[in-house]
Amino acid sequence: MAKETPSSSPTSMPSGLKAYAVPIFLFVLAMFFQLFLLPRSFPPSHYDVLGVKMYSSVDDVKDAYETIASKWDSDSGDSLPADFIKIQYAYELLTNLVWKRDYDLYGIDESVHIIEELEKQYAVEDFAKIKLPLLEVVSYEPEREGFMSISSQDFASKFQDSKPWLIQVYSSGSKSSAQFATAWRRIVALLDGVANHAMLELGDVQLVTYLAEKKPTGQVFFRKGLPSIFSFPPNCKTADCLIRFEGELSADAITDWFATTVLGLPRVFYHTKETLVPKFLSKVPPNKVKVILFSQTGERATPIVRQAAKDYWNFASLSHVLWREEDASFWWNALEVESAPAIVIMKDPGSKPVVYHGSGNRTWFLDILEQNKQLQLPQLRSTTSMELGCDARGYSRAGYDKATWYCAILVGRQSVELNKMRETMCRVQDALSKYDESDEASKDPSITPAASAHKTKRLSFAWLDGEAQNKYCFFYVQSETSYDTCGTRRAPIDVPRILIVRYHRNATETANVEQKSSKWPKTVWQSEADDVDPAAQLVVSYDGPAETPEIIKWLSKMVDDGDNRNLPFYRAKTPELVPESAEPMRSGVPKSVKATQKLLRIWNRIKDYLADPRMGPTLLLGALLSAGNVWWMRSRSSTPQPAQTNQPSPNQPDVNVEEKKKKERKREQRRKNAKEKEVPASITDNEPKDAVQILSSGLHEAHDNTNLISWFSSLQPQSKKEKDSDH
């Protein structure tokens, strides 16, 4: 009875399907791609509609159309409106040189939706009633509107500076490009001074091919059609680093994308009357000016505004507010804003906001920020001490030749009391600024010294955060109640103090100190007294009432005494001002948006591969190779192998055993021959034949059997007779 083969077993079919699962899957995928996906990716071209070869000339297209038209005239009964619309559309498209160029080179057919619309419109009517022509001819020339163009000849020469570039790819026959002209004009105006701009026509095939997107097959295409927007970031001069815009074609969307993605500028958010105070005014650091921009349109912050927000980040914080007529009375009562657009500048606590109505150009906006970037009473920080003249290592704002100058400092922790005193000091500063010495009638001798010093920039005003700059505060406020002003709050008591610091620079001693420090380096033996500030300081605290006239009189007396009296010359080492942590700048694209954009790029790449005609044959080849490999592996495993056994048959002698015995006898014979063979003694022998070992293990054995003398005498050479007798 024949044995049952593996293929005839009942489990062979499931095991075979399991083994060929991968080839079957690849084959099904290849068929699905070839029969369903590929036809959708490559619908019949307009050349196929006319029955001519791809990329045929205009004359061939006209001849084909005339042939079809003559048949339709002779036999109009079989004519359908849908067929006529497709043929007429193909004829009008392929006989226009610009449209034909865009279709042949880049696959651009932006009016293809008209076919479906006309088919629905003339579904039950005669094709003779269709209005011709179907397509409207457009001639777009941006040079006439003053837009700058770029070509392959001057492409390299344009990228001389480090500014970013925004480039639009258009076609002179594209209707959508012509409609986008208004938005492009707005974009160019918003980017003035921030970035360069240019336009590129599709006729420059060399440059367009270099900058356009490419499919896996190498075909040039524009995913979003025309116009196509892309940008070169700062210091980018090749196509490898350009960034493409894939959003809505509007001025607001493009400028927002350019400012955020390309330039990495911070965002300026919108606030309402309910959220302006809790989410903006209360969160701005006390050393920064608050700038509120009222907008009528609700457009996102322009690149100019964002660039200004970045440049003035250490001085001002910007916010937007959408103007609504129903909120007009509220904004008038709160900030005295009449209408939008408007700019509101809010400085010190309690100070009146500064309002600018109207919309100006970029220069006007930047001038307003430059004039109002400082608080009326500036904060004394590590970045402002030299500029304010409140540093013993520097000089007066009046110049290097001034030997004596003053700095009035308001010291205290962040509190309501400090804000009130800041308002008072602002009034003091404003009163001294408006004081007119030329008016004899209003001239007051008790105010003149301080007003004159302030006018000549020898008297500066500032306020110091006593908690953040605790060492600097304790250095000046040396009293039993200094903890009420400086350091961490230990009790619900905040006592702001007004100090005046007199800086005096002795030219002789300063020159000697500078000469020593420049000529001789510091050593471990050098006195610490030499490591002091160049200018001497004399600090006086104000103990009077918090009233503007009294503070002004006290300041005038301090200035007069410092200028006219021979005060002591105290020199010390002032503690360093601690650099305060800067407010974090939220710039660039958020992480969630970046992740979404990355997924979108991956999906677009997958769609490009799905439209690749090489994918079907590749999958089919993979299925065949995989199936061949599985068949070869299974055929090897199913082929029976001859059984190998070590047991000899009864009728045959064990050949292996006999061979082993012969080899064993030969080895034994070689060992015997090696022993019998006489080997001469040499220096390499371990023990020569005639060698005698005195100090060996045999010495102990001889000592046990007989005495040492008899054992030693037995080692002497014997005579020939003795040898014979012994033998």
Side-chain angles (χ1 to χ4, degrees):
M1 181 177 180
K3 293 183 179 180
E4 185 180 5
T5 59
S7 60
S8 61
S9 63
T11 60
S12 60
M13 183 62 69
S15 63
L17 291 176
K18 184 177 180 181
Y20 286 95
V22 174
I24 293 174
F25 174 75
L26 293 177
F27 179 79
V28 172
L29 193 60
M31 292 298 101
F32 176 77
F33 183 87
Q34 289 293 116
L35 299 178
F36 296 98
L37 294 181
L38 196 60
R40 293 184 179 183
S41 302
F42 292 90
S45 66
H46 297 301
Y47 290 98
D48 297 332
V49 173
L50 295 174
V52 295
K53 296 181 180 179
M54 288 291 294
Y55 314 119
S56 296
S57 64
V58 176
D59 295 335
D60 295 339
V61 172
K62 291 181 179 180
D63 294 340
Y65 177 76
E66 291 175 358
T67 303
I68 297 175
S70 63
K71 292 181 180 180
W72 279 37
D73 292 338
S74 61
D75 186 12
S76 59
D78 297 336
S79 303
L80 298 176
D83 297 337
F84 176 79
I85 291 172
K86 293 179 181 179
I87 294 172
Q88 183 65 27
Y89 182 91
Y91 169 73
E92 294 182 12
L93 177 70
L94 298 178
T95 52
N96 186 296
L97 297 180
V98 178
W99 293 344
K100 186 177 187 300
R101 177 203 66 187
D102 299 344
Y103 181 73
D104 292 346
L105 297 179
Y106 313 108
I108 296 176
D109 185 10
E110 62 182 18
S111 301
V112 69
H113 62 279
I114 295 178
I115 297 177
E116 185 177 356
E117 295 176 1
L118 293 176
E119 287 178 355
K120 293 180 180 179
Q121 182 179 356
Y122 299 102
V124 294
E125 297 183 12
D126 187 9
F127 74 92
K129 297 181 181 180
I130 299 176
K131 296 180 181 180
L132 301 179
L134 301 179
L135 303 178
E136 180 183 357
V137 179
V138 178
S139 180
Y140 177 49
E141 297 180 3
E143 293 82 3
R144 293 184 178 181
E145 301 184 19
F147 297 139
M148 187 177 64
S149 61
I150 192 172
S151 62
S152 55
Q153 287 75 19
D154 57 359
F155 176 74
S157 60
K158 293 290 185 181
F159 292 81
Q160 297 298 329
D161 54 7
S162 58
K163 277 188 177 181
W165 278 82
L166 183 67
I167 298 178
Q168 176 195 167
V169 180
Y170 74 100
S171 174
S172 58
S174 172
K175 185 178 180 180
S176 58
S177 297
Q179 294 173 348
F180 186 69
T182 304
W184 183 252
R185 188 180 299 105
R186 172 66 175 165
I187 294 170
V188 169
L190 295 176
L191 294 180
D192 183 26
V194 178
N196 299 322
H197 56 86
M199 300 182 67
L200 174 62
E201 216 278 328
L202 286 180
D204 195 337
V205 180
Q206 180 181 358
L207 186 56
V208 171
T209 303
Y210 175 69
L211 299 177
E213 294 182 82
K214 297 177 180 60
K215 294 183 179 180
T217 57
Q219 181 185 357
V220 177
F221 77 112
F222 294 93
R223 192 181 304 277
K224 295 294 182 178
L226 293 181
S228 178
I229 308 295
F230 60 88
S231 173
F232 287 91
N235 300 315
C236 173
K237 299 181 180 181
T238 63
D240 297 332
C241 54
L242 65 83
I243 305 174
R244 303 184 189 278
F245 175 72
E246 299 180 355
E248 179 188 358
L249 287 174
S250 64
D252 184 45
I254 292 176
T255 51
D256 177 71
W257 162 80
F258 188 82
T260 305
T261 305
V262 180
L263 299 180
L265 298 178
R267 293 180 175 272
V268 180
F269 295 97
Y270 271 84
H271 294 283
T272 63
K273 64 179 183 179
E274 292 82 12
T275 62
L276 183 64
V277 174
K279 293 188 176 181
F280 176 68
L281 297 180
S282 61
K283 292 186 177 182
V284 176
N287 61 292
K288 298 178 70 173
V289 176
K290 306 168 186 66
V291 181
I292 305 173
L293 306 174
F294 284 84
S295 172
Q296 244 176 351
T297 60
E299 286 183 337
R300 284 173 282 198
T302 62
I304 296 175
V305 174
R306 297 190 184 189
Q307 186 66 48
K310 181 179 180 180
D311 296 339
Y312 290 89
W313 188 262
N314 294 326
F315 303 97
S317 293
L318 280 68
S319 174
H320 267 300
V321 170
L322 178 62
W323 175 265
R324 295 176 180 175
E325 292 298 332
E326 55 268 23
D327 300 333
S329 59
F330 173 82
W331 295 120
W332 170 254
N333 296 329
L335 302 173
E336 297 185 0
V337 179
E338 296 179 357
S339 61
I343 302 176
V344 179
I345 309 293
M346 300 181 65
K347 295 186 178 181
D348 301 80
S351 61
K352 186 177 180 180
V354 182
V355 183
Y356 299 87
H357 288 92
S359 58
N361 54 14
R362 173 175 175 268
T363 305
W364 175 78
F365 174 68
L366 295 180
D367 288 343
I368 291 177
L369 290 182
E370 185 65 26
Q371 295 171 7
N372 299 277
K373 69 177 184 179
Q374 292 287 3
L375 298 172
Q376 188 174 352
L377 185 66
Q379 184 184 14
L380 183 59
R381 308 175 66 189
S382 58
T383 56
T384 61
S385 61
M386 290 291 184
E387 181 182 356
L388 295 173
C390 300
D391 199 318
R393 298 168 300 173
Y395 294 87
S396 169
R397 292 191 304 158
Y400 296 147
D401 56 338
K402 299 297 181 181
T404 305
W405 68 96
Y406 306 88
C407 185
I409 306 175
L410 172 63
V411 185
R413 288 188 288 262
Q414 294 289 339
S415 60
V416 178
E417 292 79 8
L418 179 65
N419 291 338
K420 291 181 179 179
M421 287 302 299
R422 286 176 62 183
E423 297 178 24
T424 303
M425 293 300 291
C426 287
R427 290 193 293 268
V428 170
Q429 189 177 9
D430 187 59
L432 293 177
S433 301
K434 295 179 180 179
Y435 182 76
D436 189 4
E437 297 181 9
S438 60
D439 189 0
E440 296 294 336
S442 61
K443 190 173 182 179
D444 188 354
S446 62
I447 301 177
T448 302
S452 178
H454 181 63
K455 185 176 182 180
T456 58
K457 298 182 178 181
R458 290 195 308 117
L459 174 61
S460 301
F461 290 84
W463 70 275
L464 180 74
D465 189 343
E467 184 175 3
Q469 307 289 347
N470 52 7
K471 292 184 179 180
Y472 201 88
C473 183
F474 282 121
F475 178 78
Y476 285 130
V477 183
Q478 299 180 2
S479 64
E480 296 179 356
T481 60
S482 59
Y483 284 98
D484 297 340
T485 305
C486 307
T488 306
R489 184 180 286 104
R490 300 183 178 181
I493 300 175
D494 291 297
V495 183
R497 298 175 185 269
I498 301 175
L499 311 173
I500 185 169
V501 183
R502 171 185 178 267
Y503 299 96
H504 183 73
R505 187 181 288 271
N506 189 312
T508 304
E509 293 189 13
T510 303
N512 294 336
V513 171
E514 292 178 355
Q515 184 178 2
K516 290 179 182 179
S517 61
S518 61
K519 186 176 181 180
W520 303 102
K522 292 183 180 181
T523 63
V524 294
W525 298 280
Q526 187 176 1
S527 173
E528 293 183 359
D530 295 336
D531 189 16
V532 294
D533 297 324
Q537 302 179 67
L538 185 61
V539 183
V540 182
S541 176
Y542 176 69
D543 297 328
E547 299 179 0
T548 302
E550 298 297 328
I551 296 175
I552 293 177
K553 291 180 181 179
W554 174 75
L555 290 174
S556 296
K557 185 178 184 304
M558 295 297 102
V559 172
D560 185 61
D561 292 345
D563 290 343
N564 301 319
R565 293 178 59 185
N566 188 15
L567 298 177
F569 192 84
Y570 296 110
R571 297 177 63 227
K573 181 65 176 178
T574 309
E576 296 287 343
L577 286 166
V578 179
E580 298 184 8
S581 58
E583 183 184 5
M585 183 184 299
R586 292 174 291 183
S587 60
V589 183
K591 293 183 178 180
S592 58
V593 178
K594 283 185 177 180
T596 304
Q597 292 176 352
K598 188 175 182 179
L599 293 176
L600 181 61
R601 286 194 294 268
I602 294 174
W603 173 241
N604 289 334
R605 198 63 179 170
I606 293 174
K607 289 194 298 184
D608 292 342
Y609 278 106
L610 292 178
D612 189 351
R614 301 172 299 180
M615 288 296 297
T618 302
L619 293 173
L620 184 59
L621 178 61
L624 295 176
L625 293 177
S626 179
N629 182 52
V630 172
W631 175 83
W632 184 71
M633 295 297 294
R634 287 172 60 85
S635 62
R636 283 193 59 187
S637 61
S638 61
T639 302
Q641 299 293 334
Q644 295 182 0
T645 178
N646 295 327
Q647 296 297 331
S649 61
N651 300 328
Q652 294 180 356
D654 192 351
V655 180
N656 295 332
V657 175
E658 293 295 333
E659 291 181 354
K660 289 181 180 179
K661 290 182 179 181
K662 289 181 180 180
K663 292 180 179 179
E664 186 66 26
R665 286 195 295 268
K666 289 181 179 179
R667 283 196 295 271
E668 186 67 23
Q669 187 65 30
R670 283 197 296 270
R671 283 196 294 269
K672 290 182 179 180
N673 295 337
K675 289 181 180 180
E676 294 176 356
K677 187 175 181 181
E678 195 79 20
V679 180
S682 65
I683 195 171
T684 60
D685 292 340
N686 292 331
E687 185 177 355
K689 295 172 62 176
D690 299 335
V692 177
Q693 295 184 1
I694 298 178
L695 300 178
S696 63
S697 59
L699 178 63
H700 303 284
E701 296 175 0
H703 185 271
D704 295 336
N705 298 328
T706 181
N707 56 31
L708 181 61
I709 298 175
S710 60
W711 174 79
F712 183 77
S713 60
S714 65
L715 295 177
Q716 299 298 324
Q718 299 177 354
S719 61
K720 185 177 180 182
K721 293 181 179 181
E722 293 175 342
K723 290 181 180 181
D724 295 338
S725 61
D726 292 339
H727 181 69

PDB file of all heavy atoms in Angstrom, residues 111-122:
ATOM      1  N   SER A 111      -9.381  75.130 -14.971  1.00  0.00           N
ATOM      2  CA  SER A 111     -10.789  75.337 -15.348  1.00  0.00           C
ATOM      3  C   SER A 111     -11.516  74.038 -15.628  1.00  0.00           C
ATOM      4  O   SER A 111     -12.588  74.043 -16.242  1.00  0.00           O
ATOM      5  CB  SER A 111     -10.864  76.246 -16.582  1.00  0.00           C
ATOM      6  OG  SER A 111     -10.257  77.494 -16.340  1.00  0.00           O
ATOM      7  N   VAL A 112     -10.955  72.908 -15.208  1.00  0.00           N
ATOM      8  CA  VAL A 112     -11.561  71.616 -15.524  1.00  0.00           C
ATOM      9  C   VAL A 112     -12.919  71.440 -14.855  1.00  0.00           C
ATOM     10  O   VAL A 112     -13.765  70.670 -15.320  1.00  0.00           O
ATOM     11  CB  VAL A 112     -10.599  70.479 -15.111  1.00  0.00           C
ATOM     12  CG1 VAL A 112     -10.488  70.388 -13.599  1.00  0.00           C
ATOM     13  CG2 VAL A 112     -11.043  69.158 -15.712  1.00  0.00           C
ATOM     14  N   HIS A 113     -13.178  72.174 -13.780  1.00  0.00           N
ATOM     15  CA  HIS A 113     -14.474  72.056 -13.101  1.00  0.00           C
ATOM     16  C   HIS A 113     -15.614  72.575 -13.974  1.00  0.00           C
ATOM     17  O   HIS A 113     -16.792  72.263 -13.730  1.00  0.00           O
ATOM     18  CB  HIS A 113     -14.442  72.837 -11.791  1.00  0.00           C
ATOM     19  CG  HIS A 113     -14.205  74.312 -11.980  1.00  0.00           C
ATOM     20  ND1 HIS A 113     -12.947  74.830 -12.169  1.00  0.00           N
ATOM     21  CD2 HIS A 113     -15.065  75.363 -12.034  1.00  0.00           C
ATOM     22  CE1 HIS A 113     -13.022  76.140 -12.321  1.00  0.00           C
ATOM     23  NE2 HIS A 113     -14.307  76.486 -12.248  1.00  0.00           N
ATOM     24  N   ILE A 114     -15.288  73.358 -15.019  1.00  0.00           N
ATOM     25  CA  ILE A 114     -16.328  73.893 -15.897  1.00  0.00           C
ATOM     26  C   ILE A 114     -17.036  72.770 -16.650  1.00  0.00           C
ATOM     27  O   ILE A 114     -18.236  72.851 -16.948  1.00  0.00           O
ATOM     28  CB  ILE A 114     -15.714  74.920 -16.873  1.00  0.00           C
ATOM     29  CG1 ILE A 114     -15.206  76.130 -16.084  1.00  0.00           C
ATOM     30  CG2 ILE A 114     -16.710  75.355 -17.930  1.00  0.00           C
ATOM     31  CD1 ILE A 114     -14.539  77.177 -16.939  1.00  0.00           C
ATOM     32  N   ILE A 115     -16.328  71.700 -16.974  1.00  0.00           N
ATOM     33  CA  ILE A 115     -16.928  70.591 -17.724  1.00  0.00           C
ATOM     34  C   ILE A 115     -18.109  70.001 -16.964  1.00  0.00           C
ATOM     35  O   ILE A 115     -19.203  69.808 -17.517  1.00  0.00           O
ATOM     36  CB  ILE A 115     -15.870  69.518 -18.022  1.00  0.00           C
ATOM     37  CG1 ILE A 115     -14.757  70.095 -18.913  1.00  0.00           C
ATOM     38  CG2 ILE A 115     -16.504  68.303 -18.667  1.00  0.00           C
ATOM     39  CD1 ILE A 115     -13.649  69.126 -19.204  1.00  0.00           C
ATOM     40  N   GLU A 116     -17.909  69.732 -15.685  1.00  0.00           N
ATOM     41  CA  GLU A 116     -18.990  69.143 -14.888  1.00  0.00           C
ATOM     42  C   GLU A 116     -20.145  70.124 -14.713  1.00  0.00           C
ATOM     43  O   GLU A 116     -21.320  69.729 -14.751  1.00  0.00           O
ATOM     44  CB  GLU A 116     -18.437  68.718 -13.522  1.00  0.00           C
ATOM     45  CG  GLU A 116     -19.444  67.990 -12.649  1.00  0.00           C
ATOM     46  CD  GLU A 116     -18.841  67.514 -11.337  1.00  0.00           C
ATOM     47  OE1 GLU A 116     -17.613  67.697 -11.158  1.00  0.00           O
ATOM     48  OE2 GLU A 116     -19.595  66.982 -10.499  1.00  0.00           O
ATOM     49  N   GLU A 117     -19.835  71.396 -14.544  1.00  0.00           N
ATOM     50  CA  GLU A 117     -20.895  72.390 -14.392  1.00  0.00           C
ATOM     51  C   GLU A 117     -21.730  72.516 -15.671  1.00  0.00           C
ATOM     52  O   GLU A 117     -22.958  72.600 -15.620  1.00  0.00           O
ATOM     53  CB  GLU A 117     -20.281  73.738 -14.011  1.00  0.00           C
ATOM     54  CG  GLU A 117     -19.597  73.742 -12.653  1.00  0.00           C
ATOM     55  CD  GLU A 117     -18.914  75.058 -12.360  1.00  0.00           C
ATOM     56  OE1 GLU A 117     -18.994  75.964 -13.228  1.00  0.00           O
ATOM     57  OE2 GLU A 117     -18.305  75.196 -11.280  1.00  0.00           O
ATOM     58  N   LEU A 118     -21.066  72.524 -16.834  1.00  0.00           N
ATOM     59  CA  LEU A 118     -21.790  72.647 -18.086  1.00  0.00           C
ATOM     60  C   LEU A 118     -22.582  71.388 -18.414  1.00  0.00           C
ATOM     61  O   LEU A 118     -23.659  71.462 -19.019  1.00  0.00           O
ATOM     62  CB  LEU A 118     -20.810  72.969 -19.214  1.00  0.00           C
ATOM     63  CG  LEU A 118     -20.136  74.345 -19.153  1.00  0.00           C
ATOM     64  CD1 LEU A 118     -19.126  74.496 -20.282  1.00  0.00           C
ATOM     65  CD2 LEU A 118     -21.167  75.457 -19.217  1.00  0.00           C
ATOM     66  N   GLU A 119     -22.060  70.237 -18.023  1.00  0.00           N
ATOM     67  CA  GLU A 119     -22.807  68.992 -18.258  1.00  0.00           C
ATOM     68  C   GLU A 119     -24.122  68.989 -17.484  1.00  0.00           C
ATOM     69  O   GLU A 119     -25.151  68.513 -17.984  1.00  0.00           O
ATOM     70  CB  GLU A 119     -21.950  67.793 -17.867  1.00  0.00           C
ATOM     71  CG  GLU A 119     -20.816  67.496 -18.842  1.00  0.00           C
ATOM     72  CD  GLU A 119     -19.967  66.333 -18.385  1.00  0.00           C
ATOM     73  OE1 GLU A 119     -20.217  65.836 -17.266  1.00  0.00           O
ATOM     74  OE2 GLU A 119     -19.056  65.933 -19.127  1.00  0.00           O
ATOM     75  N   LYS A 120     -24.112  69.517 -16.281  1.00  0.00           N
ATOM     76  CA  LYS A 120     -25.349  69.602 -15.514  1.00  0.00           C
ATOM     77  C   LYS A 120     -26.288  70.662 -16.100  1.00  0.00           C
ATOM     78  O   LYS A 120     -27.513  70.487 -16.107  1.00  0.00           O
ATOM     79  CB  LYS A 120     -25.034  69.932 -14.054  1.00  0.00           C
ATOM     80  CG  LYS A 120     -24.289  68.831 -13.321  1.00  0.00           C
ATOM     81  CD  LYS A 120     -24.006  69.233 -11.884  1.00  0.00           C
ATOM     82  CE  LYS A 120     -23.250  68.132 -11.150  1.00  0.00           C
ATOM     83  NZ  LYS A 120     -22.953  68.535  -9.749  1.00  0.00           N
ATOM     84  N   GLN A 121     -25.712  71.731 -16.601  1.00  0.00           N
ATOM     85  CA  GLN A 121     -26.533  72.819 -17.129  1.00  0.00           C
ATOM     86  C   GLN A 121     -27.220  72.442 -18.441  1.00  0.00           C
ATOM     87  O   GLN A 121     -28.385  72.778 -18.660  1.00  0.00           O
ATOM     88  CB  GLN A 121     -25.664  74.065 -17.317  1.00  0.00           C
ATOM     89  CG  GLN A 121     -26.434  75.276 -17.811  1.00  0.00           C
ATOM     90  CD  GLN A 121     -25.524  76.484 -17.959  1.00  0.00           C
ATOM     91  OE1 GLN A 121     -24.341  76.418 -17.616  1.00  0.00           O
ATOM     92  NE2 GLN A 121     -26.077  77.576 -18.466  1.00  0.00           N
ATOM     93  N   TYR A 122     -26.483  71.744 -19.326  1.00  0.00           N
ATOM     94  CA  TYR A 122     -27.024  71.392 -20.641  1.00  0.00           C
ATOM     95  C   TYR A 122     -27.282  69.880 -20.757  1.00  0.00           C
ATOM     96  O   TYR A 122     -27.058  69.269 -21.792  1.00  0.00           O
ATOM     97  CB  TYR A 122     -26.054  71.824 -21.744  1.00  0.00           C
ATOM     98  CG  TYR A 122     -25.798  73.316 -21.760  1.00  0.00           C
ATOM     99  CD1 TYR A 122     -24.620  73.829 -21.228  1.00  0.00           C
ATOM    100  CD2 TYR A 122     -26.727  74.188 -22.302  1.00  0.00           C
ATOM    101  CE1 TYR A 122     -24.375  75.197 -21.243  1.00  0.00           C
ATOM    102  CE2 TYR A 122     -26.485  75.556 -22.325  1.00  0.00           C
ATOM    103  CZ  TYR A 122     -25.311  76.054 -21.784  1.00  0.00           C
ATOM    104  OH  TYR A 122     -25.068  77.413 -21.807  1.00  0.00           O
TER     105      TYR A 122
END
